[in-house]
Amino acid sequence: MWKGNEKISRQNDCPWQILEDKILILKPERSMAHELNATGSWVWQKLSDDPSYADLIADFCSEYEVLPATAEQDITTLLDNLKGQGLIEC
Amino acid sequence: MDVLDQWRAQSTEKFIPLQASLELTYRCNERCTHCYIDNFWDDPNKVLTFENWISILNELKNAGTLYLVLMGGEAMLHHYFWDIAEAARKRGFHLSLITNGLKINNLKTAQRLKEIPFHHINFSLYSLNPEIHDKMTSVAGSHKKTMDAIDLCRQVGLQIGINCLLTKANIADYFALANWCVEREIEIKEDPAVTARFGGDLSPLKLRASDDQLEKFYRQRAKLWPKSLPRAESLQGNDYVCNIAKGKCAINPYGDLLGCTEVRRPLGNLLKNDFQTIWHNESAYKWRNIKVKDIKNRAADVSHCGESTHCEHCPGMALSESYDPLILTEDSVRLARIKKAVSVEFARTE
């Protein structure tokens, strides 16, 4: 469960690159590569500023013109996945 | 095709330099007899500043680079080596280092490489025999220092690999080194292609392994590791000869942008023009569009290999040796002939 004021940041040892609207993130020590879609790419780029969960939801609502409940659902799923892969920390 | 293969294929197709090699300095603390560098010295009037390198890192990130290889000369001799590595990490590059390891002489340095983090350290190691290695580097005691550095990096958990150039001096000793690597789960890459020096000095070519040595090498390698048996590649006229100026690039200590490390003719200089302007100029277009049908003496290869060839044409080596990137060198034809002979021999026994 993500808390509103919880700061979220990328794991600093994960190399990444953007190609068109996708992002490739590597986890070298596990020899793994993850590709994120356009929404995931937007979130990954936002994480460069170590935003709080609440700020991320607010920015997402503004960027994609969706309701907070929809944003929370999408972002939570994505963050859970990224955290499970060891790509972010909080 | 996994996601990494897809990205690699797209980078080649769309001319995105997914890998960039940064030659931080030509200075080196070894003097390898086979090295392509003709002068182990950086011109102080031309060498890039730290700020120049940061600007280049930003341009590479925007151009699509993911894999960054720091190399030299000896990259660790660069005054701002650690600062450039740290700046690269902050920008999210995958970092590799090609080194002789002589500067990794204590656990603290190895630990610092791990903390940056460097994702891969490639050591230039030519033999398990100190006499052979030291003779090739022209530095007494260099073998022990490189082996110690490998040990330190393994102690801190860095992923390492070995680059082993094969010459007539070390090829017979290669399998002892290869087995040593296999036992330790260390990746080893060997390469029999000794190249000319930047300035056109062809003397390193005399160090190339003989036909007999190469035949024995390919035969023994195939016996030990059947998957390594040379395979012919079926090439069509419109196939590119290599990945130059497509999915990779290189930058020398003076900011010259190169299509790859082998072709020393700059596409342009990053102090004078931005990356994208150079990357899409006429020179870059010319180099990246070299196709199989453009090779002038392809008949020299087809005559013995047929359309399925073992011949690997390198425009850079051709330029250095014959002043024409479109001519197959005698050595690439020789290597192809030897690989084909071994391949046919093994096909018969199978």
Side-chain angles (χ1 to χ4, degrees):
Chain A
M1 197 63 166
W2 299 87
K3 295 173 188 158
N5 59 356
E6 198 166 20
K7 295 278 185 187
I8 306 163
S9 55
R10 301 170 184 161
Q11 281 284 0
N12 71 4
D13 61 346
C14 294
W16 61 273
Q17 184 52 277
I18 305 169
L19 180 56
E20 295 169 346
D21 62 346
K22 291 177 181 171
I23 278 190
L24 182 70
I25 308 169
L26 306 179
K27 192 73 180 162
E29 69 272 24
R30 292 189 202 167
S31 303
M32 288 173 71
H34 306 269
E35 191 180 63
L36 302 183
N37 62 14
T39 308
S41 298
W42 181 88
V43 170
W44 184 259
Q45 289 177 82
K46 279 283 171 192
L47 293 182
S48 65
D49 299 329
D50 299 348
S52 69
Y53 178 70
D55 287 344
L56 199 55
I57 297 296
D59 286 352
F60 190 80
C61 290
S62 169
E63 177 75 18
Y64 289 94
E65 297 180 350
V66 294
L67 295 170
T70 309
E72 280 190 31
Q73 193 177 356
D74 290 354
I75 297 289
T76 299
T77 305
L78 179 67
L79 293 179
D80 285 345
N81 185 23
L82 293 175
K83 193 174 178 187
Q85 304 290 349
L87 300 176
I88 61 170
E89 58 190 359
C90 52
Chain B
M1 191 185 271
D2 70 17
V3 66
L4 271 181
D5 289 336
Q6 286 172 19
W7 274 63
R8 286 199 187 98
Q10 277 195 63
S11 74
T12 301
E13 189 185 320
K14 296 178 179 177
F15 314 143
I16 294 164
L18 198 63
Q19 178 180 308
S21 300
L22 307 188
E23 298 174 339
L24 296 183
T25 177
Y26 290 139
R27 293 167 56 223
C28 193
N29 40 13
E30 290 184 341
R31 289 291 181 274
C32 296
T33 50
H34 53 264
C35 187
Y36 51 73
I37 295 175
D38 55 354
N39 193 344
F40 299 94
W41 172 81
D42 294 332
D43 183 341
N45 297 316
K46 290 165 70 183
V47 75
L48 295 176
T49 64
F50 175 64
E51 290 72 23
N52 294 149
W53 279 116
I54 296 303
S55 169
I56 286 170
L57 290 180
N58 290 336
E59 288 202 83
L60 289 171
K61 190 70 188 179
N62 291 333
T65 300
L66 174 61
Y67 297 98
L68 210 59
V69 183
L70 302 192
M71 58 187 291
E74 172 50 51
M76 293 185 78
L77 290 178
H78 191 277
H79 187 67
Y80 291 108
F81 169 76
W82 295 104
D83 305 273
I84 291 169
E86 178 67 22
R89 193 273 298 168
K90 282 184 182 160
R91 285 158 179 77
F93 290 105
H94 180 283
L95 264 180
S96 299
L97 170 65
I98 298 177
T99 180
N100 56 35
L102 268 56
K103 293 283 283 180
I104 311 172
N105 50 15
N106 56 64
L107 199 60
K108 197 174 162 190
T109 305
Q111 192 62 45
R112 196 171 176 193
L113 290 169
K114 174 77 176 170
E115 283 165 6
I116 285 287
F118 274 89
H119 301 104
H120 203 91
I121 312 286
N122 279 301
F123 287 92
S124 304
L125 178 66
Y126 307 116
S127 174
L128 281 186
N129 182 331
E131 272 181 43
I132 294 174
H133 180 89
D134 289 1
K135 199 171 177 187
M136 287 178 73
T137 64
S138 310
V139 175
S142 60
H143 181 267
K144 179 171 180 353
K145 289 178 181 173
T146 300
M147 295 298 277
D148 288 348
I150 290 169
D151 192 37
L152 289 168
C153 287
R154 279 165 56 82
Q155 278 182 48
V156 300
L158 279 160
Q159 190 183 355
I160 70 164
I162 302 293
N163 290 342
C164 181
L165 187 82
L166 299 175
T167 73
K168 63 183 176 186
N170 69 338
I171 193 166
D173 198 52
Y174 168 77
F175 292 99
L177 175 61
N179 282 320
W180 182 86
C181 288
V182 169
E183 285 164 11
R184 288 157 183 77
E185 296 184 344
I186 296 172
E187 184 187 13
I188 181 167
K189 285 183 185 164
E190 77 285 348
D191 183 3
V194 180
T195 57
R197 295 211 167 95
F198 292 170
D201 175 5
L202 300 179
S203 61
L205 308 190
K206 293 176 191 159
L207 303 171
R208 284 173 172 163
S210 69
D211 290 11
D212 282 352
Q213 287 180 312
L214 286 164
E215 271 182 38
K216 276 184 195 160
F217 164 75
Y218 285 118
R219 199 175 289 131
Q220 192 171 348
R221 194 180 66 168
K223 275 182 193 161
L224 287 170
W225 301 294
K227 282 184 181 170
S228 71
L229 181 67
R231 306 273 172 207
E233 197 178 349
S234 181
L235 292 175
Q236 306 300 315
N238 276 325
D239 290 338
Y240 293 116
V241 296
C242 66
N243 197 17
I244 181 171
K246 290 188 277 293
K248 67 177 180 182
C249 69
I251 295 155
N252 76 10
Y254 306 139
D256 291 326
L257 178 61
L258 313 170
C260 88
T261 53
E262 297 291 340
V263 175
R264 305 309 302 184
R265 202 168 279 180
L267 307 177
N269 187 281
L270 290 163
L271 295 178
K272 293 178 185 158
N273 288 106
D274 63 70
F275 184 94
Q276 290 299 341
T277 300
I278 300 171
W279 194 241
H280 295 289
N281 70 16
E282 197 178 328
S283 180
Y285 177 86
K286 187 190 84 176
W287 282 105
R288 76 168 53 104
N289 278 295
I290 299 177
K291 295 183 174 173
V292 170
K293 66 184 177 188
D294 300 322
I295 296 173
K296 293 172 183 170
N297 58 338
R298 192 166 168 246
D301 175 42
V302 173
S303 63
H304 61 79
C305 271
E307 291 299 321
S308 288
T309 182
H310 289 275
C311 194
E312 294 174 37
H313 176 64
C314 170
M317 288 178 72
L319 185 66
S320 304
E321 289 174 43
S322 60
Y323 307 103
D324 187 340
L326 302 179
I327 288 184
L328 286 178
T329 65
E330 283 178 22
D331 197 59
S332 57
V333 175
R334 178 181 78 116
L335 278 173
R337 178 174 47 75
I338 293 167
K339 285 193 276 186
K340 184 178 181 187
V342 174
S343 182
V344 168
E345 179 186 314
F346 274 74
R348 254 192 251 119
T349 55
E350 276 170 12

